[in-house]
Amino acid sequence: MRSHRRRKQIATAKMAEEQKESSQGEMEGVNCLAYDEAIIAQQDRIQQEIANSNPLVSDRQDLSVLQREYAEDDTVYQLKIKDLYKKYSYIRKTRPDGNCFYRAFGFAHLESLLDDSKELQKFKAVAAKSKLDLVNEGFTEFTIEDFHNTFMDLIELCEKQPSLQELLNSFNDQNVSDYVVVYLRLLTSGYLQREHVFFQHFIEGGRSVKEFCQQEVEPMSKESDHIHIIALAQALNVSILVEYMDRGEGGTVNHHVFPEGGDPRIFLLYRPGHYDILYK
Amino acid sequence: MENKYNLRSPAVKRLMKEAAELRDPTEHYHAQPLEDNLFEWHFSVRGPPDSDFDGGVYHGRIILPPEYPMKPPSIILLTPNGRFEVGKKICLSISGHHPETWQPSWSIRTALIAIIGFMPTKGEGAIGSLDYTPEERRTLAKKRSLEFCCETCGCTMHSALLALSHNSNTSPQDHKAKELAQQINFKAESSSSRQPVENGSEDRTSTLTQADNSTSAGQKSSFVSQAGEAQMPPATVVEEPQIHTATSSTCPLSPRQRHTQQHTQHAQHDQRDGPEPTVSIVALTPTPQQPQDRSHAGSAVLIVVLTLALATLIFRRIYLAHEFDYDL
């Protein structure tokens, strides 16, 4: 009797054990599949949220919006914003999506050329020739063509002296805007590779300039550093001033002109990880 | 085709251009969109010479996302090849140490060249990758791959590519393929994130792959339903051109069987090591019985040990209870 009961108990325990095992196996499989999807879905949600609350390029706003972004007792930033006030009055924000430098540069430069047709023509010539330089460097013509055409279309739009709103609309059209970003990335990459002997010294991690370009310049959403800015400024022969605002002590905002000694027409505000456009 | 699509869409514009560019087969690759869908292409690639895939020609599908070329294409191989699972989406997106390296200036041609360059690299147990033995791969390459005929696009591998000319063996094409393969990584859709695997591989890829919900949902259900019947021939996929390829008799374990097997071992591994998602490398031997038996033996031993432990406890309990009785 007792042994019978024992056997039964064992059998039940065995069954429970088996059941547990198999359900665990299934759960694990489903979890694996669901895991990546969950991450991707979350990333998409975050991207979407950022997109909903930030246009690709915003309207021009009074610099006071910056002041409201930081707590009143955040003395480091409040002092630096006061310092910015001495030189600038307005700000135009860009979407923080990793492409902000290129978008800010692209928009600010074309905007500055709207009422300077002589400079615009000069820039158009440089831009028109740039595709050939890239092709000569080994970029495939039929793949970079669309990006170049979009970029040239925008320059031609500027020739027609459109309203600022029209330019802004183009830069807020995701297709157009992203294609411009791709082309500016290609120009940056092309210049870095052309001058690879010089730039090799500034690349960390034992990578070649080519590898650096393929990992940090050409893919979308890769953030930009000094080296990208220098390369793009020189590739297009445009001077860029960047104001650096971070948690560093001192109460003043430091700036840097790319390339050094230039006469900048474009003013960007850098806060760690992000670029916006400044106006005097 | 021209009337059907919005020519102002950047993806359409670009794909039209690529279709024209790739119209004529080359010695190494050929790809064209399906007649009724510009966003799905079929391709054929020649296995790289000086590899186990020498002499083989492999066929597959390329799915282009609506955001192409801003987002990467996905690739599905249809010819059994011993390197990639058949009929499973592999995403061309992530390089080992530097994620998200797809570049909009790359093209379908880049993807094809990368596949060729990627074939001789190790699968290393990643889901969607296979590590068949060199003999198996050679058999698939020389004997079976050329017999393949795609029902969807109607091309046969015998005539899909230009005949190889003699001086092209070490073409710059090959060189470029290898270079690209080092940069790009192919990932199975929905593979789990994994820790460095046992053989000391340096591949610490975080696997964020492009998800296509419909396909992965299908995979999910098929996995669950197939989990208990790993020995069945995998003829359950309908409307997919790979049916007749997957039921081949010379191929000892079908991809799906191997997949199931991987998951079985996976679950066991986890039971021992805790809940962290790890993928253990599975020794894929040519005989289907052996690994199955081994895994069954493992669980049987586990069950016996647990049962004995339980029995001991029960006996102890009964003994204690009786002792108590006697004391009264």
Side-chain angles (χ1 to χ4, degrees):
Chain A
M1 178 66 193
R2 199 182 284 165
S3 76
H4 178 72
R5 213 174 67 192
R6 199 194 89 203
R7 223 176 282 152
K8 207 170 153 190
Q9 271 179 327
I10 291 174
T12 327
K14 215 166 158 182
M15 256 165 63
E17 198 61 47
E18 268 171 336
Q19 231 164 30
K20 199 175 139 205
E21 207 170 302
S22 69
S23 72
Q24 225 178 28
E26 269 168 38
M27 278 302 289
E28 198 54 53
V30 172
N31 278 347
C32 283
L33 296 171
Y35 188 65
D36 279 358
E37 275 160 39
I39 292 177
I40 291 162
Q42 192 188 16
Q43 282 183 328
D44 283 351
R45 267 201 306 280
I46 294 169
Q47 288 295 326
Q48 198 53 48
E49 237 167 75
I50 292 174
N52 288 342
S53 50
N54 301 279
L56 290 168
V57 180
S58 83
D59 287 326
R60 202 165 85 159
Q61 295 159 295
D62 195 89
L63 200 55
S64 60
V65 292
L66 263 190
Q67 247 167 336
R68 291 196 290 272
E69 276 182 36
Y70 298 94
E72 273 174 40
D73 55 355
D74 188 343
T75 41
V76 176
Y77 270 103
Q78 292 297 353
L79 274 176
K80 290 191 173 180
I81 292 167
K82 280 215 181 82
D83 189 47
L84 270 187
Y85 255 119
K86 291 176 193 160
K87 290 189 267 179
Y88 306 97
S89 320
Y90 304 100
I91 185 170
R92 193 190 291 279
K93 294 192 177 169
T94 58
R95 183 181 296 171
D97 60 359
N99 302 312
C100 51
F101 165 69
Y102 300 98
R103 239 187 282 272
F105 168 84
F107 184 84
H109 188 54
L110 289 182
E111 184 188 19
S112 79
L113 294 179
L114 276 180
D115 45 15
D116 189 342
S117 60
K118 208 176 120 204
E119 278 298 315
L120 182 63
Q121 288 311 316
K122 260 179 24 198
F123 182 67
K124 190 184 174 186
V126 173
K129 187 180 161 288
S130 64
K131 185 180 90 175
L132 194 63
D133 291 342
L134 290 178
V135 172
N136 288 340
E137 265 178 77
F139 287 87
T140 317
E141 180 161 10
F142 82 92
T143 59
I144 64 171
E145 203 165 61
D146 288 348
F147 308 120
H148 179 252
N149 289 346
T150 305
F151 190 54
M152 293 311 291
D153 287 349
L154 266 188
I155 295 175
E156 275 156 29
L157 173 75
C158 290
E159 279 184 309
K160 291 181 204 146
Q161 307 248 313
S163 66
L164 188 60
Q165 192 58 43
E166 240 173 290
L167 187 63
L168 192 60
N169 290 347
S170 293
F171 264 86
N172 277 308
D173 176 336
Q174 186 95 44
N175 287 340
V176 175
S177 202
D178 280 352
Y179 266 40
V180 170
V181 170
V182 172
Y183 195 66
L184 293 176
R185 284 181 179 277
L186 287 170
L187 287 174
T188 309
S189 169
Y191 190 82
L192 285 171
Q193 293 185 54
R194 218 174 303 149
E195 303 292 329
H196 67 97
V197 180
F198 173 74
F199 285 110
Q200 184 65 65
H201 305 294
F202 303 96
I203 288 170
E204 291 163 358
R207 291 178 280 180
S208 71
V209 172
K210 191 166 186 195
E211 282 168 337
F212 178 81
C213 288
Q214 278 162 347
Q215 291 159 2
E216 307 290 343
V217 184
E218 288 181 44
M220 287 296 274
S221 305
K222 286 286 182 183
E223 290 179 13
S224 305
D225 216 333
H226 272 214
I227 188 167
H228 303 77
I229 305 178
I230 296 171
L232 186 57
Q234 295 190 337
L236 288 174
N237 198 19
V238 173
S239 178
I240 307 169
L241 185 147
V242 182
E243 297 280 356
Y244 289 89
M245 187 163 85
D246 55 25
R247 289 236 162 259
E249 295 296 326
T252 54
V253 179
N254 301 317
H255 66 258
H256 198 97
V257 178
F258 303 91
E260 270 174 57
D263 176 24
R265 308 164 59 95
I266 303 167
F267 309 95
L268 301 181
L269 171 64
Y270 176 82
R271 285 174 287 169
H274 186 61
Y275 295 87
D276 291 307
I277 308 168
L278 287 170
Y279 296 90
K280 299 229 170 183
Chain B
M1 192 180 279
E2 275 76 10
N3 307 326
K4 210 173 129 189
Y5 297 99
N6 176 6
L7 281 171
R8 297 187 57 177
S9 146
V12 171
K13 223 159 118 189
R14 168 72 174 261
L15 287 172
M16 295 272 197
K17 223 177 265 184
E18 295 203 35
E21 193 73 23
L22 293 170
R23 181 158 294 134
D24 303 316
T26 71
E27 287 175 21
H28 296 278
Y29 54 80
H30 184 223
Q32 279 294 291
L34 295 184
E35 255 171 59
D36 57 350
N37 186 0
L38 185 61
F39 288 82
E40 177 171 346
W41 291 43
H42 275 218
F43 70 88
S44 308
V45 292
R46 190 180 294 285
D50 66 33
S51 78
D52 299 333
F53 308 95
D54 184 20
V57 177
Y58 304 91
H59 194 67
R61 303 158 66 197
I62 299 180
I63 314 289
L64 287 313
E67 299 92 350
Y68 183 82
M70 304 308 288
K71 298 264 168 73
S74 319
I75 288 144
I76 299 170
L77 276 186
L78 300 176
T79 315
N81 55 82
R83 174 62 184 82
F84 296 112
E85 278 190 46
V86 168
K88 191 160 181 181
K89 212 177 211 175
I90 37 183
C91 297
L92 201 167
S93 60
I94 299 167
S95 135
H97 301 279
H98 303 277
E100 297 299 332
T101 45
W102 167 258
Q103 294 165 25
S105 61
W106 284 349
S107 64
I108 289 171
R109 192 205 325 244
T110 319
L112 295 178
I113 294 173
I115 295 174
I116 299 173
F118 219 78
M119 290 193 83
T121 60
K122 286 213 171 82
E124 296 185 326
I127 295 175
S129 283
L130 299 172
D131 282 312
Y132 279 32
T133 63
E135 291 75 36
E136 285 179 282
R137 286 177 171 176
R138 268 177 241 145
T139 312
L140 288 174
K142 295 230 160 70
K143 302 217 174 99
R144 297 205 39 88
S145 81
L146 297 178
E147 293 163 15
F148 187 87
C149 169
C150 179
E151 284 174 1
T152 315
C153 69
C155 74
T156 54
M157 291 308 101
H158 277 298
S159 53
L161 300 178
L162 285 186
L164 211 55
S165 58
H166 280 292
N167 52 4
S168 65
N169 267 2
T170 47
S171 63
Q173 203 78 264
D174 281 343
H175 186 71
K176 202 175 169 199
K178 280 178 197 145
E179 199 182 293
L180 266 171
Q182 282 165 2
Q183 234 183 83
I184 308 175
N185 213 342
F186 285 89
K187 283 286 158 208
E189 154 138 325
S190 305
S191 58
S192 70
S193 74
R194 61 204 163 97
Q195 295 180 327
V197 278
E198 285 138 22
N199 62 353
S201 138
E202 47 173 39
D203 187 358
R204 280 152 215 253
T205 324
S206 79
T207 53
L208 298 178
T209 48
Q210 297 287 321
D212 176 332
N213 287 334
S214 59
T215 343
S216 51
Q219 273 170 8
K220 220 180 286 176
S221 57
S222 73
F223 165 63
V224 172
S225 64
Q226 292 244 341
E229 43 181 29
Q231 303 297 322
M232 297 270 288
T236 44
V237 186
V238 274
E239 292 171 1
E240 292 281 3
Q242 70 264 29
I243 311 168
H244 58 109
T245 70
T247 46
S248 75
S249 53
T250 50
C251 171
L253 256 190
S254 79
R256 206 177 282 273
Q257 284 170 322
R258 287 179 192 240
H259 184 201
T260 315
Q261 186 187 316
Q262 250 178 357
H263 271 283
T264 322
Q265 298 226 350
H266 183 183
Q268 275 187 349
H269 195 264
D270 279 352
Q271 236 179 11
R272 270 176 265 124
D273 293 346
E276 275 180 305
T278 54
V279 175
S280 51
I281 286 210
V282 185
L284 293 171
T285 49
T287 41
Q289 293 298 334
Q290 228 178 355
Q292 288 289 336
D293 285 348
R294 217 184 295 138
S295 73
H296 281 172
S299 40
V301 167
L302 202 73
I303 289 166
V304 167
V305 168
L306 286 169
T307 313
L308 284 176
L310 206 75
T312 322
L313 280 172
I314 292 162
F315 269 125
R316 194 177 139 80
R317 178 95 195 175
I318 292 165
Y319 176 72
L320 285 174
H322 279 276
E323 227 173 22
F324 192 63
D325 277 350
Y326 296 147
D327 280 352
L328 268 180

